[in-house]
Amino acid sequence: MFGERDPGWEPLAGRLPEGQFEIGKDGVGLLVVGFDGSGPSRNALAYAAGLARRDDAALLIAFVESLNSASLWFFAGSPIIPDAAADLTEDLRDELRGAGVPWQFVSVRGDTARELETLASAHMADAIVVGRSRSTWHGSVAAKLAKRARRTVLIVP
């Protein structure tokens, strides 16, 4: 995983003893946000940032590079994957400037819905926030998450 950390990133510091997870608490502690730079993902990020600010929560913002995407090219038998995550880092800094929430950006590769759920599970996130898909090609990430996620999924138009 590649990551960019906000200097204020301390998602659960001071809330619970190390390794403990509270189920059924008031509000959220950590939100996983799917972000690819598209309009719907920017809407999801804005919604999640507002929710996190009101609940004193943190954001784990994830870019998932699909291994079968059109951006995967081959040269002499080796895949060449553009550094789209690095391009998004500046966008995130601009989007979250002044939001007042701690955040961390990670980039992973694989199936988007599966990777977002895996990140949410590994970090004990309260919810996953994604933008609504405007395409029906390969099915919607939001629909896949709504069917298989083990936590709340917020779909932002």
Side-chain angles (χ1 to χ4, degrees):
M1 285 197 302
F2 308 100
E4 176 72 23
R5 249 183 224 251
D6 176 55
W9 171 256
E10 293 182 39
L12 298 175
R15 295 187 184 174
L16 294 172
E18 181 77 25
Q20 291 189 13
F21 181 60
E22 182 181 2
I23 296 175
K25 65 181 173 50
D26 293 333
V28 297
L30 179 67
L31 297 170
V32 170
V33 183
F35 185 78
D36 64 3
S38 67
S41 74
R42 289 178 190 281
N43 294 344
L45 179 64
Y47 184 87
L51 184 60
R53 186 180 61 253
R54 288 186 297 278
D55 281 356
D56 193 30
L59 300 176
L60 178 61
I61 304 159
F63 170 69
V64 182
E65 177 79 34
S66 175
L67 293 178
N68 60 1
S69 74
S71 62
L72 180 63
W73 299 91
F74 286 88
F75 176 74
S78 299
I80 299 172
I81 301 173
D83 200 0
D87 297 339
L88 291 175
T89 303
E90 281 303 314
D91 286 350
L92 284 170
R93 283 194 190 112
D94 292 341
E95 293 279 336
L96 294 171
R97 185 170 289 121
V101 296
W103 60 276
Q104 179 181 2
F105 177 62
V106 295
S107 175
V108 294
R109 293 188 177 115
D111 175 72
T112 305
R114 181 175 290 121
E115 293 302 326
L116 290 174
E117 175 60 27
T118 299
L119 282 169
S121 180
H123 291 275
M124 295 184 274
D126 297 293
I128 301 170
V129 184
V130 294
R132 176 184 54 147
S133 175
R134 288 184 164 78
S135 169
T136 57
W137 189 75
H138 266 339
S140 161
V141 171
K144 288 178 186 176
L145 278 169
K147 289 179 185 175
R148 75 169 120 181
R150 303 219 180 264
R151 67 203 74 251
T152 302
V153 176
L154 299 170
I155 303 168
V156 180

